[in-house]
Amino acid sequence: MLDDASPSAPQAVTTALPAASHRLQPLLHDLVSTVLAPTVALSGGDGQIRPAGVQGLFHADSRALSQATLTIGGREPEAVGHAPRGPGGSRFVALARWLGDPVLDPTVRIERVRQVKPGGMAERVEIVSSATVPVAATVTLELGCDFAPIEVVKSGGDTVEAEAERTAPGEISWSSDGVRVTVTGEGARAESAGHARTAFLSWPVELAPRGRVTLSWKVEVHDPGAVVTAPARAAEWAPGAGEPRIAAADHRLSRLFERSLDDLRSLRLAETAAPGDAFLGAGVPWFLTLFGRDSIWAARMLLPLGTELAMGTLRVLARRQGTRIDAGSGEAPGKIMHELRRHEFAVEGSGLRLPAAYYGTIDATPLWIGLLHDAWRWGAPTEEVAALLPCLRAALGWLGEHADPDGDGFVEYLDTGGRGLANQGWKDSGDALRFHDGRQARPPIALVEVQGYAHQAARQGADLLEAFGRPGAARWREYAAGLAERFRVRFWTDGPLGRFPALALDRDKRPVDALTSNIGHLLGTGLLTGAEEAAVADLLVAPEMAGGFGLRTMSAEAGGFNPLSYHCGSIWAHDTAIVVAGLARAGFAGHAATLAEGLLAAGETFGYRLPELFGGDDRAALGRPVAYPAACRPQAWSAAAAVTLVHAALGLYPDVPVGRVLLRPLAGAPLGPVSVRGLRIAGAEVGAAVDREGEVVVTGLPAGISTERAAREVS
C-alpha cells in the first residue's frame, strides 16, 4: 500500500544524504487520530494540534488546519489523559494547576471534547473549577492553515501558512484554489497577527467558586474538488438494530472487536460522484482514499457482517476498471486500479510520480474476482452479482492476456513507466523482496501469493460463469490446473527449516528463497495439496516466524531481517489475520490460535486499535510490541482483522447459492467461548456461539439454508 518514497517504503540507497537535504517522514505512533472519513484530526495526546510534523486537521488529502493550540491564562494546560468517544470522537483531559486554590490537588480542570465530521470538526471546551476562590483568565485558541497536500506532509516537505481573514465576528477564513476553511468561535473575539499568517480566537472567562463554563468552536471545509466523500447510507453494521454484539470469555477479543467496529465505521468512504456505493479508505492519514487491494481485502474480511460494503467496493472499482494500455499509469484492459487521488501524487526527491488514478498493482484484479465470488457465496443479491459479470469477464481477460508479459506461465509485474511503484504486491516497499542471504531481487517479479490469488480467481471465476450460464468456465479451470503444475515445479525451494514455496521468482526465474509470511496466503487458494498445506502451516508457527506478537513478514533467520523494517521482519495485523483465516479453514486450529494469541496481546498493548504494522521483535525482548513509528492508525484491514479472528473462532462458511453453511469452528475452542449476534447471511441477521468444547450453534438462518458440520482433519 505504501509508496517507494518514504521511510515506510525504504529504497536500496546506501549513500548518506547531507543532513540539510535529508527529509524525514513525520512520526505517527504517539499521535491521537480522530477520524470520520474523509476528515481526520491528528493531535498530541493533550489534544493540541501543533504546527509540526503531521499534526493537523486533514480533509480529502489536504491539510485544512495546521494549528489549533489552546492556552488558558497564557499557558498551555497540562495533559493527564485522553480517550476515544466512538467514531469521530475524542476527549482530552488537562489541568491548569497555576489557577485556583494554592493546594497540592489541582482545582481547575479542562476537558476538550472533539467531534470530527465529514468536512469539519467541532470542539467543546469545558473548564471546571473545584476551587474555593473565583477564577478569571483568558482562553485563547491559536490557529493556522497551510493547505499542504498529504504527499508533501508525508515526505517532510516545506509548507507555507496561508493568509487568514476575519470574515465575521468570531469568524476566521482561509482560501486557496477553490478550497475554503472557516473557523467560528461562539462568543469569541477573532483577531490575526500582524503578518496575517496566524489567527486567534479568544474568550474572557470568569468562574465562581466551584463553577464551570463551556466554550465551543468549529471548523468547516468547503472543498468542491474532493474525489472522495462520506457515503450516503449508514453501514449494515451501524449502531442500532442489527448492530453486531459479541460476548467472549477472552475480554481482549471482545474489546478488539468493538473498538475495531468503531474504526471501520469511521473509515467508510464513497466517490463524490457516486455516494451510494461505500468502500473503506485504506488508512489514516496517508491513505484515506480508495486503494484497490486494501479496500478489497477489508471488504472481504468483513463479509460476516454483510455484503453491502463488498458490493459497493466492487462497483466502485468496476467503474474504473482499465480499458487501455498505458505504461505511465499501469492501466491495462480489465485491470483493477491501485489508488485514487485528487491529483498526481509526487514525492519530492524520490522520482515517484503517480497519476491521480494509478493501476500499479499485480494483485487487485484477482482479489476483485475473489471478493465477487465470496460475496455471492455469502448471499449478495443475485441481480447485483449478475450486473458485474461483464467486469468479471474483463478481469479474467486481463489475467489471461496481460498478467504474464513474458509468457512463462506466471503472473508478474514490472514498472515499465519508470515513475511508479517498483514492487506491486502488498509488500510494495523498495527493499521488500530479498533472498535468504539479504540480496534484493530484481524485477520482473512473480510473487508467490499472487500465483495463489490467480489460481483461486480462475477457479472462482469459472464457478461464477457456470452458475450464471456464461461460457468459458472450462478454460479457467484448465488455467488453474496448469498454474498449479508449473508452481509445484518452479517455486518450491529448500531452507534451514525444510522445503517451502519461495517468496518469488526474480527476473532470471530464480526462486527468491527467503522464508516469508507471503506463503501463508496460499492456504485455501487450492494451489497446495493437503500435505503441502501442512508443511506451510508448520513453518508459519516456527519461532523464527511466530516469535513476536503475530506473524513476522520475514523469518528472523533471514539475512534481510529487521524487526522494524516495513516488510522484512515487522508484523502486520491483516497479514497475520489472513493467515489465521487460512489455517482455521484448513483445520489447523492450534496453529491458528498461536498467531491469533499474538494479535490479541498486541491489541491490548495498542489500546485495542491495531496499527497498520508494528515491530517483529521477540516477545521476551520488551514484553510488548514496539511501535512502527510511521504506521497508519486506524487502518482498514488492521481493524478488519478483529472480525477475521472472530469469524475463525466461529467457523461459519456459507454457500448461499446451494443453501448450506459449513461449520468448522476452531477445534477445542482455543480462543475460548465466543458468541456473536448481528452476523449476516443472505441479508438475514444471524447469531452464532461456540462453547468451551468447540461446538457451534447457529440461529436465525434464512429459510432454505441449513448447516453442515465439517470433518475435523487437523487440530
Side-chain angles (χ1 to χ4, degrees):
M1 181 182 63
L2 292 197
D3 58 67
D4 288 340
S6 72
S8 295
Q11 296 297 287
V13 176
T14 56
T15 304
L17 295 174
S21 64
H22 190 186
R23 301 213 182 267
L24 297 175
Q25 181 174 339
L27 304 186
L28 287 170
H29 65 285
D30 58 352
L31 298 184
V32 176
S33 301
T34 310
V35 56
L36 201 58
T39 306
V40 56
L42 286 165
S43 72
D46 55 1
Q48 301 280 45
I49 296 175
R50 294 183 170 84
V54 68
Q55 295 191 40
L57 178 72
F58 291 83
H59 176 76
D61 274 357
S62 179
R63 184 154 57 188
L65 281 184
S66 55
Q67 182 177 6
T69 53
L70 188 78
T71 59
I72 179 168
R75 298 173 62 175
E76 289 194 26
E78 299 169 308
V80 292
H82 63 86
R85 296 181 69 249
S90 295
R91 180 186 292 268
F92 304 88
V93 181
L95 307 173
R97 291 187 296 156
W98 59 93
L99 298 176
D101 294 339
V103 296
L104 291 178
D105 290 338
T107 56
V108 178
R109 169 184 173 122
I110 299 97
E111 294 199 10
R112 196 165 174 175
V113 182
R114 176 172 296 159
Q115 188 65 47
V116 170
K117 66 174 185 177
M121 181 179 78
E123 280 197 353
R124 189 173 72 251
V125 181
E126 300 175 348
I127 305 172
V128 181
S129 173
S130 60
T132 60
V133 297
V135 172
T138 297
V139 176
T140 302
L141 185 68
E142 185 173 358
L143 298 159
C145 171
D146 62 5
F147 294 106
I150 191 68
E151 66 271 21
V152 173
V153 178
K154 185 177 190 295
S155 62
D158 295 328
T159 65
V160 177
E161 293 296 312
E163 184 172 330
E165 178 185 5
R166 287 179 290 173
T167 48
E171 182 179 282
I172 299 166
S173 295
W174 299 262
S175 298
S176 177
D177 295 330
V179 179
R180 187 170 183 84
V181 177
T182 303
V183 173
T184 306
E186 185 177 343
R189 177 185 176 187
E191 55 186 319
S192 60
H195 51 67
R197 300 293 180 182
T198 303
F200 302 88
L201 294 177
S202 60
W203 297 262
V205 170
E206 294 184 4
L207 287 84
R210 307 196 66 83
R212 68 171 58 220
V213 66
T214 300
L215 310 175
S216 62
W217 68 280
K218 65 180 181 180
V219 55
E220 301 280 348
V221 183
H222 176 68
D223 184 6
V227 296
V228 291
T229 187
R233 297 192 302 272
E236 295 167 284
W237 25 275
E243 178 183 7
R245 299 288 187 185
I246 184 172
D250 189 333
H251 74 277
R252 300 172 303 171
L253 185 59
S254 299
R255 293 179 183 176
L256 183 63
F257 184 83
E258 291 164 354
R259 177 66 190 272
S260 295
L261 282 187
D262 277 348
D263 283 339
L264 291 163
R265 292 173 185 126
S266 74
L267 292 171
R268 294 174 70 250
L269 281 169
E271 286 188 288
T272 303
D277 286 327
F279 59 88
L280 288 176
V284 172
W286 316 127
F287 306 104
L288 196 54
T289 186
L290 176 66
F291 270 75
R293 175 192 311 119
D294 301 62
S295 299
I296 289 169
W297 262 124
R300 201 172 187 179
M301 296 162 82
L302 294 180
L303 281 170
L305 305 185
T307 61
E308 184 178 312
L309 179 69
M311 298 308 296
T313 303
L314 289 163
R315 285 191 291 266
V316 168
L317 291 168
R319 284 194 289 269
R320 293 182 176 271
Q321 192 170 27
T323 59
R324 62 193 179 104
I325 298 291
D326 182 353
S329 69
E331 184 179 354
K335 193 176 186 183
I336 298 300
M337 71 179 301
H338 176 57
E339 69 179 277
L340 177 67
R341 301 285 186 174
R342 73 161 70 213
H343 50 58
E344 181 182 69
F345 192 90
V347 180
E348 181 182 349
S350 71
L352 189 79
R353 302 187 72 88
L354 306 184
Y358 180 57
Y359 289 78
T361 168
I362 195 63
D363 51 9
T365 308
L367 289 172
W368 186 95
I369 295 170
L371 178 59
L372 179 63
H373 171 272
D374 288 359
W376 171 58
R377 295 290 190 196
W378 276 88
T382 302
E383 64 278 8
E384 294 186 22
V385 176
L388 289 171
L389 292 181
C391 300
L392 167 67
R393 295 182 69 87
L396 288 168
W398 173 84
L399 191 62
E401 298 168 21
H402 302 284
D404 178 18
D406 66 3
D408 68 344
F410 297 109
V411 179
E412 59 202 354
Y413 62 82
L414 175 67
D415 173 38
T416 58
R419 300 194 304 176
L421 295 174
N423 286 320
Q424 297 186 359
W426 85 260
K427 293 180 179 178
D428 57 3
S429 54
D431 67 346
L433 304 182
R434 294 177 176 268
F435 290 86
H436 178 72
D437 62 8
R439 289 175 298 122
Q440 291 190 40
R442 297 187 179 277
I445 295 290
L447 286 169
V448 62
E449 77 275 17
V450 173
Q451 312 315 309
Y453 299 159
H455 180 270
Q456 186 176 51
R459 294 174 63 181
Q460 292 176 333
D463 289 346
L464 283 163
L465 292 174
E466 191 171 72
F468 284 84
R470 305 299 201 272
R475 173 193 175 189
W476 295 108
R477 292 199 174 99
E478 291 171 6
Y479 172 97
L483 178 57
E485 184 177 339
R486 293 187 296 274
F487 181 89
R488 195 157 286 111
V489 171
R490 300 297 302 275
F491 266 81
W492 283 80
T493 188
D494 292 308
L497 300 180
R499 284 183 63 76
F500 65 94
L503 166 60
L505 300 182
D506 73 352
R507 67 179 180 182
D508 299 316
K509 309 305 177 184
R510 295 174 300 180
V512 181
D513 60 348
L515 176 60
T516 64
S517 64
N518 301 57
I519 63 174
H521 291 228
L522 299 177
L523 298 169
T525 64
L527 195 59
L528 304 179
T529 66
E532 290 168 345
E533 286 196 328
V536 166
D538 288 343
L539 286 168
L540 293 172
V541 297
E544 294 84 350
M545 292 298 294
F549 292 84
L551 179 65
R552 291 184 175 117
T553 45
M554 179 177 284
S555 167
E557 297 300 312
F561 174 78
N562 172 1
L564 275 180
S565 76
Y566 196 58
H567 286 131
C568 299
S570 59
I571 293 170
W572 288 62
H574 90 283
D575 186 34
T576 302
I578 288 169
V579 175
V580 166
L583 290 167
R585 185 156 193 170
F588 297 97
H591 300 66
T594 295
L595 297 181
E597 164 59 31
L599 276 192
L600 291 173
E604 188 173 35
T605 296
F606 289 111
Y608 301 103
R609 175 182 266 183
L610 282 169
E612 179 184 19
L613 71 155
F614 47 88
D617 305 85
D618 279 326
R619 285 202 183 200
L622 291 174
R624 59 184 295 156
V626 174
Y628 184 88
C632 290
R633 186 165 176 253
Q635 204 249 13
W637 57 14
S638 290
V643 178
T644 295
L645 296 187
V646 171
H647 179 225
L650 297 172
L652 274 62
Y653 303 103
D655 190 346
V656 171
V658 300
R660 181 188 66 184
V661 176
L662 188 69
L663 304 180
R664 192 195 288 273
L666 291 181
L671 301 184
V674 181
S675 66
V676 183
R677 294 184 291 111
L679 303 175
R680 291 191 175 273
I681 297 176
E685 187 177 333
V686 173
V690 172
D691 64 19
R692 294 187 181 279
E693 284 70 45
E695 295 299 321
V696 62
V697 174
V698 181
T699 58
L701 286 173
I705 298 179
S706 59
T707 59
E708 178 181 324
R709 296 182 184 275
R712 287 178 177 164
E713 301 171 358
V714 187
S715 63

